[in-house]
Amino acid sequence: MPDDAAAARAAAAAVEEESAFSHPAVDPDSTAAYGDHPDQVIDFYAPHGERVPGEPAPLVVVLHGGAWRAPYDRLHITPFADFLARRGFAVANVEYRRGAALPAQGGTGPVAGRWPETFDDVAAALDALPALVREALPQADPRRTVLTGHSAGGHLALWAAARHVLPKDAPWRTDAPAALRGVVALAPIADFTVAEKLAVCGGAAGQLLGGDAKFAERLPYADPTLLLPTGIATALVQGRADLVVPQAVAESYADAAAKSGEVVGLTLLEDVGHFPLIDPAADACAVVAEEIAQLAW
């Protein structure tokens, strides 16, 4: 029976993933560069759904997932970006440098992320965003910005909102909190220690930090559970049936936040796995949009 249950969960997860990736990519209204590398770009989607007439639209900044690995770029999350735009949000979909092939594996295996380039890019994108938004999305109200991200992008969203509490020698540290209404992290890889114990995404968090030799040294600069409290409203949305990033990872972050004196919302969705959170065809995606709306409006 346990094997049958596991097989059923795996089959359900496969159906969810297929649905999420079945939507064609949605072209943005415009794209702007925040650096010289081809991956240092942001796609912008103008609001075209129902919203208050004449009122500037809240801005949602999206950070895609994919275990920080090169094969997974921002294209797979463009249907989600368009879904938010159709609900009246202005959307900025951020690309960033991810890991390429591992030379030690003969160039055949994608490593998770680049140190420090992945973090360099997210910090640079957020710093450049206000000026780029003024040019590309005049309909947007940057004063009502919500940061969201899925999976590895959820990690980056939590990290980007915590730059003001990074160690003092961190190159990405800011003097003050980001001007955000809040963060909505979707099935985030939010606790690297727990993620590594559970071998999330094949040990992607460890790879991102440079492997065992660098893990402990770099952890305080990258792990959201060590960057608390942020003072920024934060909500996590997590499927209880998630086999990719189990709910224990999100729960550990929420527990760490509580111990720091900060309240973090944690919405656990029954019978929902990893991908429905960004699948416009799934009910879970509407839940995500409502969580964002509660912070933005």
Side-chain angles (χ1 to χ4, degrees):
M1 287 298 291
D3 289 343
D4 291 342
R9 289 194 296 270
V15 170
E16 290 177 341
E17 182 174 0
E18 182 179 5
S19 176
F21 285 88
S22 68
H23 309 286
V26 180
D27 291 336
D29 294 298
S30 62
T31 300
Y34 63 88
D36 295 330
H37 192 277
D39 285 335
Q40 293 175 322
V41 294
I42 304 174
D43 290 338
F44 294 101
Y45 295 79
H48 53 271
E50 295 180 4
R51 61 190 180 97
V52 179
E55 181 182 343
L59 175 66
V60 181
V61 182
V62 176
L63 291 160
H64 70 81
W68 310 283
R69 291 184 171 121
Y72 310 103
D73 61 17
R74 70 191 186 282
L75 292 183
H76 78 271
I77 210 167
T78 61
F80 174 71
D82 179 66
F83 174 81
L84 294 176
R86 286 187 281 110
R87 295 178 78 99
F89 296 104
V91 182
N93 185 18
V94 177
E95 190 58 278
Y96 52 89
R97 282 175 285 182
R98 304 164 314 284
L102 274 172
Q105 296 179 357
T108 60
V111 68
R114 300 188 194 183
W115 183 280
E117 289 88 350
T118 298
F119 297 92
D120 289 344
D121 287 359
V122 172
L126 270 292
D127 290 345
L129 195 60
L132 296 177
V133 166
R134 283 194 295 270
E135 180 70 23
L137 285 178
Q139 313 95 318
D141 182 359
R143 297 170 300 177
R144 291 186 290 163
T145 298
V146 175
L147 192 54
T148 191
H150 178 241
S151 195
H155 157 262
L156 292 172
L158 295 171
W159 177 85
R163 289 170 61 197
H164 59 293
V165 294
L166 281 167
K168 291 184 178 180
D169 63 341
W172 315 290
R173 182 181 167 98
T174 56
D175 294 332
L180 298 171
R181 280 290 183 91
V183 179
V184 180
L186 314 175
I189 305 179
D191 183 322
F192 279 11
T193 301
V194 173
E196 285 300 280
K197 287 180 180 177
L198 297 176
V200 168
C201 298
Q207 289 181 14
L208 175 66
L209 299 193
D212 292 344
K214 294 291 186 179
F215 187 81
E217 173 189 336
R218 292 174 172 172
L219 197 64
Y221 299 85
D223 188 343
T225 60
L226 303 180
L227 300 173
L228 290 162
T230 67
I232 294 174
T234 301
L236 312 181
V237 183
Q238 174 75 43
R240 287 189 181 274
D242 194 330
L243 302 181
V244 179
V245 183
Q247 73 179 63
V249 181
E251 288 175 333
S252 182
Y253 177 84
D255 289 344
K259 290 175 183 176
S260 77
E262 191 158 79
V263 177
V264 168
L266 175 58
T267 299
L268 295 172
L269 302 179
E270 296 291 340
D271 301 319
V272 170
H274 193 63
F275 293 101
L277 303 178
I278 58 166
D279 181 357
D283 292 342
C285 199
V287 174
V288 169
E290 182 57 32
E291 290 280 352
I292 293 172
Q294 288 182 18
L295 292 174
W297 267 295

